[in-house]
Amino acid sequence: MMHHKLLDSFFSVLSCVVSVPFYTGFLPLLFWSGHSKLARQMTLLMAFCDYLGNSVKDAVSAPRPSSPPVRRVTATEDEKENAMEYGLPSSHALNTVCLMGYMLHYVLTYGPHDNVMVATGLSLALLFVMLVGVGRIYLGMHSLTDVIAGICFGGVILAFWLVVHNYVDAFVVSGKNVTTFWASLSLLLCFAYPKPEFPTPSFEYHTAFNGVAFGIVYGIQQTYFHFHNPDVPLIFSPQLPFIAFVGRVLVGIPTILVVKFCSKALSKWLLPVMCNTLGIPIVSSCYVPALKASDKSKDKSDAKQAGYLQKVFSLFPQKAYDVDTGIRFVQYASLAWSVVDLVPAIFTHLNL
């Protein structure tokens, strides 16, 4: 395959544009621009894609193309982490099909259009999907099979989502016991996940977006009629000029980052204390250094003083639970909640 520095840069930038960190930064802007329905649907669809795609990846455990002989280009830290995952299906291809497809559906459903606009939109979406797929192969991140599988799987997920998305949205904004249901679903999805042949970052990505989905749902439930109803002003309207939107971004981005930092710090202290108090056996793979090493003598001492919950958990095949999963879930749920609840409240106070 022909290689060139310009192609390296082009496909690397394209991969960043369709990566999870990009969408994590883009979706808050969509909420704050007044397009709340599109933003929450894309967030939930992204979480759905992330769970299904990463579950299949870790269940199949198909390796990426070997490098060498394949030349692999990892221009960012995000790409280096992606390279540690399994390859089938391509998450970039899957996510691009779903999110581009849904955005096109939304624009054609809620905006004026004619046959020319439909044809142009479809052509641009297909071109973008094709470029992403070619880019993943060019960068050495995926095989042709991985990309085709991602596109096909993404098409199936998109078709399913277009059938259920209105029902999901109606439940989120006006259903009963939504928070309880979604909290139970989030907990279930943390356990209903396949164990890969070797550890990968895929489960960490799933946990993060699982937390984001819960935070968005909880926040929308609390503030829908205040900040997210169909009558909120849209960007470029007289009620929300572009300069006011820029002000929202300058206020909102630092705020959600502070919330993420504080919630992570608090949960790193609080969750281990809660688990130890309840007798739930835990370890930490990253966030809590004191829980990384296994001390057999301490285990024996704890076993003698085991509470009821610890005896219950001892019946499960997993001897200890990674507290990092809970910490990661809490920090991203807090971040998402602040996007749709705390930050809009600040905007109202500042008349933005």
Side-chain angles (χ1 to χ4, degrees):
M1 180 181 286
M2 181 184 69
H3 295 100
H4 193 278
K5 288 184 178 180
L6 287 177
L7 289 176
D8 289 356
S9 300
F10 173 74
F11 286 122
S12 294
V13 170
L14 191 64
S15 291
C16 291
V17 169
V18 296
S19 65
V20 170
F22 172 80
Y23 288 121
T24 304
F26 170 72
L27 291 171
L29 306 186
L30 205 54
F31 275 108
W32 301 337
S33 68
H35 296 282
S36 180
K37 182 174 182 178
L38 175 60
R40 62 180 178 263
Q41 281 294 304
M42 288 187 66
T43 302
L44 298 180
L45 176 57
M46 188 73 181
F48 190 48
C49 290
D50 192 74
Y51 173 72
L52 291 179
N54 286 342
S55 293
V56 172
K57 270 187 179 182
D58 282 351
V60 175
S61 296
R64 293 178 184 266
S66 299
S67 176
V70 173
R71 173 179 174 271
R72 180 171 294 160
V73 180
T74 52
T76 64
E77 289 299 319
D78 179 57
E79 281 289 76
K80 292 177 182 177
E81 287 191 9
N82 287 338
M84 298 169 61
E85 295 182 285
Y86 289 109
L88 182 75
S90 166
S91 294
H92 281 71
L94 188 157
N95 293 339
T96 303
V97 168
C98 288
L99 297 180
M100 287 296 295
Y102 188 79
M103 284 187 69
L104 180 62
H105 164 80
Y106 186 89
V107 170
L108 296 180
T109 300
Y110 295 99
H113 63 275
D114 53 25
N115 292 335
V116 175
M117 289 185 64
V118 173
T120 302
L122 283 172
S123 299
L124 290 175
L126 291 173
L127 176 62
F128 195 65
V129 170
M130 184 188 72
L131 286 174
V132 169
V134 171
R136 301 311 286 167
I137 297 172
Y138 175 87
L139 295 174
M141 298 295 288
H142 287 287
S143 67
L144 178 61
T145 303
D146 297 341
V147 171
I148 292 175
I151 292 173
C152 293
F153 195 22
V156 172
I157 294 173
L158 176 62
F160 172 77
W161 194 258
L162 291 178
V163 172
V164 304
H165 71 114
N166 282 327
Y167 299 103
V168 173
D169 196 62
F171 176 68
V172 168
V173 301
S174 59
K176 296 181 179 179
N177 302 316
V178 177
T179 301
T180 303
F181 170 82
W182 215 278
S184 302
L185 177 63
S186 299
L187 181 62
L188 174 64
L189 293 181
C190 284
F191 290 94
Y193 190 89
K195 187 175 182 179
E197 186 177 355
F198 299 103
T200 71
S202 296
F203 180 70
E204 297 175 8
Y205 299 151
H206 155 60
T207 302
F209 250 99
N210 192 15
V212 167
F214 175 74
I216 292 295
V217 170
Y218 176 74
I220 292 292
Q221 269 280 298
Q222 304 300 312
T223 62
Y224 175 72
F225 292 105
H226 296 286
F227 307 130
H228 304 288
N229 64 78
D231 298 323
V232 298
L234 301 178
I235 187 173
F236 302 123
S237 68
Q239 296 82 12
L240 184 58
F242 182 72
I243 189 65
F245 174 72
V246 172
R248 288 186 171 193
V249 174
L250 294 177
V251 171
I253 294 297
T255 302
I256 65 175
L257 292 178
V258 168
V259 170
K260 180 174 180 286
F261 174 81
C262 293
S263 61
K264 180 180 179 179
L266 182 62
S267 58
K268 283 170 66 175
W269 169 76
L270 189 60
L271 286 182
V273 171
M274 290 175 59
C275 290
N276 288 330
T277 301
L278 295 172
I280 301 173
I282 57 173
V283 294
S284 174
S285 56
C286 178
Y287 289 143
V288 187
L291 296 175
K292 285 184 180 181
S294 59
D295 190 336
K296 294 182 179 179
S297 62
K298 184 178 182 298
D299 291 343
K300 291 179 180 179
S301 174
D302 288 347
K304 293 178 180 179
Q305 301 176 356
Y308 176 74
L309 275 178
Q310 190 164 356
K311 292 177 182 178
V312 171
F313 277 99
S314 68
L315 300 176
F316 293 92
Q318 191 169 339
K319 293 183 178 179
Y321 296 87
D322 192 346
V323 73
D324 291 7
T325 298
I327 295 171
R328 189 173 292 109
F329 179 89
V330 169
Q331 66 171 315
Y332 280 95
S334 301
L335 181 148
W337 164 80
S338 68
V339 167
V340 297
D341 191 333
L342 175 64
V343 172
I346 295 175
F347 293 161
T348 301
H349 183 71
L350 298 177
N351 294 319
L352 290 175

